[in-house]
Amino acid sequence: MSDVAVRGAQGAVDIEQVRRLRVARKEQVATDVVVLDLVDPDGAEVPAWAPGAHVDLVLPGDLVRQYSLCGDPADRTRLQVGVLREAEGRGGSLYLHDTLTEGDVLEVRGPRNNFRLEPAGSYVFVAGGIGVTPLIPMVAEAIAREIPFEVMYGGRTRSSMSYVDHLEALCGERVSVRPQDEHGLLDLAGLLGEPREDAAIYCCGPEPLLQAVEAASAAWPTGALHLERFSPKELEAPVLAGSFEVELTLSGEVLTVPPDRSIMAVVEEAGVPIVASCLEGTCGSCETVILEGEADHRDSILTAAEQEANETMMICVSRAACPRLVLEL
C-alpha cells in the first residue's frame, strides 16, 4: 500500500492511499454487467465508506476509471463495484470484462464521496441502468434508519438491469422496476410532478435520464435534487476567451493559463503534484480551494449553490471568470 499526496478541498496536503486489492469474485449479473468483489490480499480490512462513495481503479495503460461502491458499508472484508461493458468507451470496462480474472490484483484509490446521502424526511431514488449501483447502499441506509422512500428503476430490458432481484427483495412494493421494452420511458411526471417538503431526490444514470429528472423536479425546493453523472455535461464557451493567471499560495508561484490548456496541466508542469482521475470534472479528485477570484465552473459535480458559493473548483476543467485566481495550492 502506498500513499499519494492530494491537494484537495481542505487546502492542506491530504494523503490518499493506493491499495492493491485482489479480485475475489467476478460474476456476470446482467447482460454486459459484471460485479467485482475486491479484498485485501493479506486479509486486512478494506477502507471505510458511506453510501454514494466511489473508488478509482488504476488499470494498465495509465487508465483510471471510477466505479460506485454498491456493497454493504458495514462489510469491511470487501469492496464491491458493478461495471457496465462499454464497447465504445476508452477501454477500461473492456479490460475489466474481457481480461481481468479472479485472483488478479488491482490498484485502488479512495473511496471518495461526491454523492453523499443527506438527511431528509423521505427519499425518492431514480436509477437508470448501471446507475443503480450507488443507490443500492442508500436504499439500505434508508431502511436501516426507517425513513420512507420509493425507488424507480429503469433500463433497456430486464435482462440488462442488475440487482433487480436484490432490490425487489429489499424494497418490496416500494420499488418500481420498469424496463423500457415493457413499460416505455419512466413516468417521471407521475413520480415527481408534485413537489414534497423535506424530501430528497437521488438520481444516477445516463445523461438523458438526468436531464429528464431535472426538468420533472424543477418545481421542487432548492437543494432537493441530487445527481451523479457518469459523463460530463455539455459545456458552453468559457467566460474568458483569453489567458488568465493563477496564483498558488502554498508554492508561491504565479502561472499563466492559456486558452488551450487546463489549470491542472499548467500547475502540474510547474511541479505541483495533483492527483486526478477523470480529467472531465466528474470524479472530484482535483477539487481545490479558491481564496480569491471567481471561477468559471465547468464541472459536473458541484451543485448550482456550491458553484455560486465559489469556495472550491475542479481544476481539470474549470477556468477563471476573472483575470486572476488565487488558489490554495
Side-chain angles (χ1 to χ4, degrees):
M1 181 169 59
S2 61
D3 295 334
V4 176
V6 181
R7 297 180 186 269
Q10 302 306 312
V13 177
D14 298 325
I15 297 297
E16 181 173 272
Q17 292 181 329
V18 179
R19 295 169 172 82
R20 293 179 60 81
L21 299 183
R22 178 173 57 84
V23 181
R25 179 175 72 107
K26 176 183 177 182
E27 180 181 353
Q28 184 162 344
V29 296
T31 302
D32 290 333
V33 178
V34 296
V35 165
L36 306 177
D37 283 354
L38 307 175
V39 303
D40 188 278
D42 300 319
E45 288 190 337
V46 296
W49 60 280
H54 70 267
V55 291
D56 298 344
L57 301 187
V58 183
L59 307 178
D62 293 327
L63 292 175
V64 181
R65 296 293 179 264
Q66 295 77 44
Y67 295 99
S68 298
L69 293 172
C70 53
D72 178 3
D75 182 0
R76 298 293 300 279
T77 67
R78 67 193 61 238
L79 298 176
Q80 185 178 102
V81 298
V83 181
L84 173 67
R85 179 186 176 89
E86 297 182 87
E88 304 303 319
R90 292 176 291 173
S93 69
L94 294 182
Y95 172 82
L96 294 172
H97 273 256
D98 299 343
T99 304
L100 185 78
T101 63
E102 291 183 359
D104 286 350
V105 175
L106 291 173
E107 286 192 351
V108 180
R109 289 206 299 247
R112 191 181 303 115
N113 202 335
N114 306 311
F115 194 44
R116 295 174 181 82
L117 186 65
E118 302 293 345
S122 64
Y123 296 106
V124 180
F125 298 110
V126 184
I130 197 64
V132 73
T133 51
L135 302 184
I136 291 170
M138 293 186 179
V139 169
E141 180 73 10
I143 292 172
R145 288 160 48 187
E146 300 183 343
I147 299 174
F149 71 91
E150 56 186 306
V151 183
M152 183 172 283
Y153 179 19
R156 297 186 308 278
T157 64
R158 183 174 289 265
S159 65
S160 72
M161 298 168 64
S162 55
Y163 293 99
V164 170
D165 292 344
H166 176 71
L167 276 175
E168 289 180 334
L170 191 64
C171 305
E173 296 181 352
R174 289 178 288 185
V175 61
S176 300
V177 178
R178 294 291 184 267
Q180 187 173 345
D181 64 340
E182 298 176 22
H183 300 275
L185 297 177
L186 297 181
D187 181 14
L188 298 176
L191 180 68
L192 304 174
E194 188 68 31
R196 310 176 204 176
E197 293 296 327
D198 197 28
I201 305 165
Y202 279 79
C203 177
C204 186
E207 187 62 25
L209 173 64
L210 302 186
Q211 293 179 6
V213 169
E214 285 181 307
S217 63
W220 282 58
T222 300
L225 178 60
H226 304 263
L227 303 176
E228 182 165 62
R229 285 183 155 86
F230 294 145
S231 56
K233 296 182 291 187
E234 291 188 12
L235 297 174
E236 298 178 353
V239 172
L240 293 183
S243 301
F244 57 89
E245 291 183 339
V246 289
E247 178 182 340
L248 313 182
T249 59
L250 299 182
S251 70
E253 297 186 75
V254 176
L255 307 173
T256 298
V257 180
D260 60 342
R261 302 193 69 196
S262 68
I263 296 175
M264 174 181 292
V266 172
V267 169
E268 286 185 320
E269 186 177 67
V272 178
I274 302 290
V275 169
S277 297
C278 70
L279 305 181
E280 297 177 329
T282 58
C283 78
S285 60
C286 67
E287 187 171 7
T288 300
V289 171
I290 303 168
L291 297 176
E292 294 180 28
E294 182 180 357
D296 175 10
H297 293 284
R298 303 170 66 78
D299 66 275
S300 300
I301 299 175
L302 297 177
T303 65
E306 289 170 334
Q307 290 185 349
E308 185 176 352
N310 198 53
E311 295 176 349
T312 66
M313 66 186 298
M314 309 303 162
I315 61 173
C316 66
V317 292
S318 294
R319 303 186 66 79
C322 60
R324 176 182 283 210
L325 284 174
V326 181
L327 303 179
E328 195 166 36
L329 285 173

